[in-house]
Amino acid sequence: MESIGFSREGHIAHVRLNRPKSLNAINEEMDRGLYEAWNEINNDPDIWVAVLSAEGERAFCVGADVSGGAERPSRMALGGGLTGVGGPLVTLRKPLVAAVQGYALGGGFELAMCADVIVAATTAVFSMPETKVGIIGESGIMHRAIRQLPYRVAMAMILTGDRLPARDALAYGLVNEVVEPQVLAEAALRWAEKIAAASPLAVQAAKSAVLQRLDWPLEVALSTRFEPIEQYATSEDRVEGRKAFAEKRAPIWRGR
C-alpha cells in the first residue's frame, strides 16, 4: 500500500506512515496497511523489534482522516488495531519504537503512546485537541495519557487541548529521548538495535508479563505465573544465554 511503507532490516521491521501531504492522517487504506503490518510482525518469528516512523517534516500523524466530512471514518481501529478503539485490539507482542517528529495529535498521539519506546525530534508536539475543537467521542487517547503522564499534566492537556513540546514530554517521562530532526531515524534505529541485541524470547516474555498485570495490584502481579516466561525456561535461547555467559562471549540468539 502506498500509504504504508514496510521493510525488514535483519531482525528489525520498519513501518512508515506515508501520507505527508495529509500530515499522515490515517485513512482506511493506511489503517488496513497498519493492521497487516502489525500481524506480519507478530507472526514472523524472525522479526524481533519494530520501528514506527512517518514521512515528512511537519507531522508524525494528526489522527484520523476526517477530510471527507465524516466525524468518524469506517475503520477496523485507529492505528490498525493497536488502540482497540473503533475495532479489535491488536496486542503487538514484539517491542515497538516510535520515531516522532512534528505534530502528534489526537489519534496520532495515541498511536505514539502505543509504543514501548518513544524517540522524539525537537520539533515534536503532542496534543489532545478534542475538547478544544468540540469533537469528542472515543476516549482511548485520554485513558492512555492519564496512565503515561502525571495526573495534572494529562488532565490539563485533556481539558484545554494545550500542546506538550518534546522537551516537556521528556521531562515528564513520556518520551525516552529527544534528538535533532536530522538524526531521528538514526536514534530510533539505535534503540531498536539495542533491544534486538537482547534475547528476543526473553524480551517478548517480559513485555507480555508487564502488560498483563500493568493495572493490577503488585501482590497479584507477583503471584501470577506467566506462560511465556515458563516457556522460555525450556528454550534454546535460555541454554545459549547460560553457555555464552560461562564462555564469556556474546550470545547468538535464534529466537527459539
Side-chain angles (χ1 to χ4, degrees), residues 90-107:
V90 174
T91 299
L92 193 63
R93 295 192 296 273
K94 315 294 176 66
L96 178 63
V97 178
V100 180
Q101 80 283 356
Y103 297 118
L105 311 181

Side-chain angles (χ1 to χ4, degrees), residues 48-62:
W48 296 353
V49 59
V51 176
L52 173 64
S53 60
E55 192 68 36
E57 299 178 356
R58 295 180 59 197
F60 169 73
C61 176
V62 294

Side-chain angles (χ1 to χ4, degrees), residues 49-166:
V49 59
V51 176
L52 173 64
S53 60
E55 192 68 36
E57 299 178 356
R58 295 180 59 197
F60 169 73
C61 176
V62 294
D65 188 345
V66 295
S67 60
E71 286 192 9
R72 170 180 159 181
S74 173
R75 60 177 184 262
M76 288 177 290
L78 182 62
L82 282 188
T83 68
V85 172
L89 173 65
V90 174
T91 299
L92 193 63
R93 295 192 296 273
K94 315 294 176 66
L96 178 63
V97 178
V100 180
Q101 80 283 356
Y103 297 118
L105 311 181
F109 182 14
E110 183 174 6
L111 185 56
M113 285 192 288
C114 289
D116 303 295
V117 172
I118 300 176
V119 182
T122 53
T123 59
V125 177
F126 303 91
S127 177
M128 293 175 278
E130 285 82 351
T131 58
K132 193 170 186 176
V133 298
I135 300 176
I136 186 159
E138 300 158 345
S139 55
I141 182 174
M142 301 174 192
H143 294 304
R144 291 185 187 276
I146 203 70
R147 286 164 170 77
Q148 297 189 29
L149 283 163
Y151 175 84
R152 288 173 182 81
V153 174
M155 286 303 296
M157 292 181 69
I158 292 167
L159 299 178
T160 68
D162 281 353
R163 296 174 176 178
L164 185 70

Side-chain angles (χ1 to χ4, degrees), residues 11 24 50 52 80 89 106 168 170 180-181 215 223 236 245-246 250 256:
H11 294 294
N24 294 312
L52 173 64
L89 173 65
D168 291 341
L170 178 66
E180 294 300 323
D215 297 319
S223 63
E236 294 179 21
F245 181 80
R256 300 178 178 85

